[in-house]
Amino acid sequence: MSIEDWRTEINTLDRELLRLLNQRARLALKVGESKTASGLSLCDHTREREVIERMSEANEGPLDDRAIVELFRAIIHESRRIQTRAVDQSSEEQAANRLDFGDARVAFQGAPGAFSEQAAVQLLGEKIRLVPRPTFESLFLSIEDNSADYILAPIENSLAGFVHASFDLLLDSKLYIIGEVIIPISHCLIGCPGSSFETIVAVESHPVALDQCRRFLAANPQIKRIAAEDTAGSVERIISQGDPARAAIAGQRAAEKYGGVILREHLEDSSENYTRFLLLSTAQGFTEDADKLSLVIELPHQPGALHSALEPFARRGIDLLKIEGRPVKGRPWEYGFYLDVRGSVHDRDVMETLAELRNGRVETRILGAYRSARVPAY
């Protein structure tokens, strides 16, 4: 046979491989639908290991086992991705209805126009009544002092990491997580009307925002940086002062809110800049379509404590999405661990794991079960 004959045969095999891969993907979608209907996690590490081990054992070469492992890991990853996408698409309308809070009062930290305000509107709609609070402490008191019905609090940023102030206040409260939203963070240089980039000699913003724009600030050493309480509040202040030599770093919403002029856009060092917010309530509500569980476990300071607490999750193939440790107040050298788990209170494996932890005298508290948010396009 000639090279062209071999290539023709390869082309035929490629078309057959594509047909079989898509057929497998359609079956994976059916499996995903069944898992979702049963309240099970889409991720099953035990099943994935079995598939890869079986294919490696059946491999007759010339592909080696390493190649087989990589190929089937990629296939399994794509199967889980389209399962997740299908679940997200089918639940968009339900999610909109579930999070229609009408004109409920929703508190957020920061001045009007802050990223937190943007997140609240994105999650709950324009009809809500927004309640700005100056500090995290006042934010977490807003339901107790009857100024709000719900709280939207940041919990982590993809660049800056965990928001420890929110987490610590959440643990000290009796609030429950009932939803979440993720928004992209894009920073603008905002001046007062009549200003231009060339006139700016000082810029103010929250320290985290300044830190996320280090490359821009390093490239413009003539601009002095000034730390402030929040991003939107900085815009309000420079607009009220009317000084063309001062600017603020904040989001587009803040510029629109206070009539600022956007002098530069996309100042952030990384385009992968997202903040995740939690919707908090005094009422514990576990929705039927919840696919994410947040909890905190407290462990003594002794060898193997964390391993012993996490082993039941691994044994049952439960996907841990996040682990974050914090010291336990009033108990030196003991630690609490915040866990995000793929699953819900309707997932038998998850609940059996929590029961096992409690039986092993691991203090366990469920913070909430809710529908996970998608990472939006930047």
Side-chain angles (χ1 to χ4, degrees):
M1 293 177 63
S2 67
I3 291 177
E4 289 305 316
D5 291 334
W6 289 330
R7 286 175 174 169
T8 299
E9 190 168 339
I10 287 173
N11 291 342
T12 301
L13 287 172
D14 284 344
R15 286 192 295 272
E16 181 64 10
L17 280 172
L18 180 61
R19 184 187 68 81
L20 291 172
L21 285 170
N22 278 311
Q23 182 177 338
R24 188 188 192 282
R26 284 189 286 272
L27 292 173
L29 281 172
K30 295 292 185 184
V31 171
E33 290 171 2
S34 297
K35 283 184 175 182
T36 301
S38 303
L40 300 175
S41 170
L42 293 177
C43 185
D44 186 343
H45 292 299
T46 301
R47 162 69 178 168
E48 292 170 8
R49 285 194 298 270
E50 290 174 352
V51 170
I52 291 173
E53 288 172 1
R54 187 170 63 252
M55 292 298 97
S56 296
E57 291 172 0
N59 180 35
E60 297 179 353
L63 291 174
D64 59 24
D65 288 348
R66 179 193 56 80
I68 296 300
V69 169
E70 291 180 359
L71 283 169
F72 276 90
R73 276 181 177 165
I75 291 169
I76 290 168
H77 172 79
E78 286 304 308
S79 296
R80 189 160 63 245
R81 189 179 66 84
I82 63 172
Q83 287 173 338
T84 302
R85 186 176 62 191
V87 170
D88 287 342
Q89 289 173 347
S90 67
S91 64
E92 279 182 356
E93 185 175 344
Q94 296 175 8
N97 292 332
R98 183 177 72 251
L99 296 181
D100 182 6
F101 281 50
D103 62 350
R105 300 170 301 165
V106 181
F108 64 93
Q109 189 275 324
F115 288 111
S116 294
E117 182 186 76
Q118 175 187 334
V121 171
Q122 181 173 315
L123 179 65
L124 303 173
E126 297 283 353
K127 293 181 181 180
I128 59 172
R129 287 180 285 168
L130 295 159
V131 182
R133 303 290 277 192
T135 65
F136 283 121
E137 288 76 14
S138 63
L139 173 66
F140 276 82
L141 289 173
S142 57
I143 295 180
E144 185 178 327
D145 65 20
N146 198 35
S147 59
D149 304 305
Y150 301 94
I151 290 170
L152 192 76
I155 193 65
E156 64 177 320
N157 176 266
S158 57
L159 301 180
F162 218 51
V163 183
H164 293 119
S166 277
F167 176 66
D168 291 342
L169 287 165
L170 173 59
L171 288 192
D172 289 341
S173 75
K174 296 181 180 179
L175 298 174
Y176 297 96
I177 305 169
I178 61 171
E180 71 172 2
V181 62
I182 299 171
I183 66 166
I185 304 298
S186 182
H187 294 300
C188 303
L189 183 69
I190 303 168
C192 61
S195 65
S196 66
F197 178 73
E198 290 70 25
T199 66
I200 302 302
V201 298
V203 62
E204 65 175 86
S205 192
H206 190 278
V208 171
L210 293 172
D211 187 61
Q212 292 176 353
C213 302
R214 281 181 294 177
R215 290 179 187 170
F216 167 78
L217 294 170
N220 295 278
Q222 76 280 8
I223 299 178
K224 178 185 177 182
R225 33 185 119 171
I226 301 170
E229 288 294 325
D230 63 87
T231 55
S234 298
V235 178
E236 181 182 23
R237 192 158 38 253
I238 66 108
I239 297 299
S240 65
Q241 292 172 349
D243 185 349
R246 295 177 72 91
I249 290 177
Q252 181 180 341
R253 187 182 184 93
E256 295 170 351
K257 183 79 176 179
Y258 299 107
V261 177
I262 295 178
L263 306 176
R264 291 287 189 276
E265 294 183 278
H266 300 296
L267 306 186
E268 61 276 4
D269 294 344
S270 172
S271 61
E272 296 298 316
N273 190 359
Y274 298 92
T275 297
R276 174 182 165 228
F277 295 82
L278 301 177
L279 182 64
L280 307 175
S281 170
T282 54
Q284 186 179 47
F286 298 147
T287 59
E288 289 293 328
D289 62 349
D291 64 352
K292 190 173 186 178
L293 190 73
S294 292
L295 58 136
V296 63
I297 59 175
E298 293 186 3
L299 303 176
H301 183 62
Q302 62 186 42
L306 180 59
H307 176 272
S308 297
L310 298 183
E311 190 277 334
F313 291 98
R315 183 173 3 107
R316 292 181 175 87
I318 297 172
D319 192 7
L320 292 178
L321 305 174
K322 184 175 183 64
I323 305 175
E324 184 79 23
R326 293 290 288 162
V328 177
K329 290 182 181 179
R331 287 153 59 182
W333 315 121
E334 294 190 21
Y335 294 86
F337 288 86
Y338 171 92
L339 306 179
D340 279 335
V341 177
R342 180 70 70 191
S344 75
V345 293
H346 308 294
D347 188 322
R348 186 179 65 184
D349 284 343
V350 170
M351 298 314 292
E352 287 179 353
T353 298
L354 299 188
E356 184 175 336
L357 292 179
R358 289 173 178 136
N359 289 337
R361 295 196 296 180
V362 174
E363 191 173 334
T364 305
R365 173 186 166 193
I366 295 178
L367 298 175
Y370 50 96
R371 185 76 192 161
S372 58
R374 292 183 300 165
V375 177
Y378 198 85

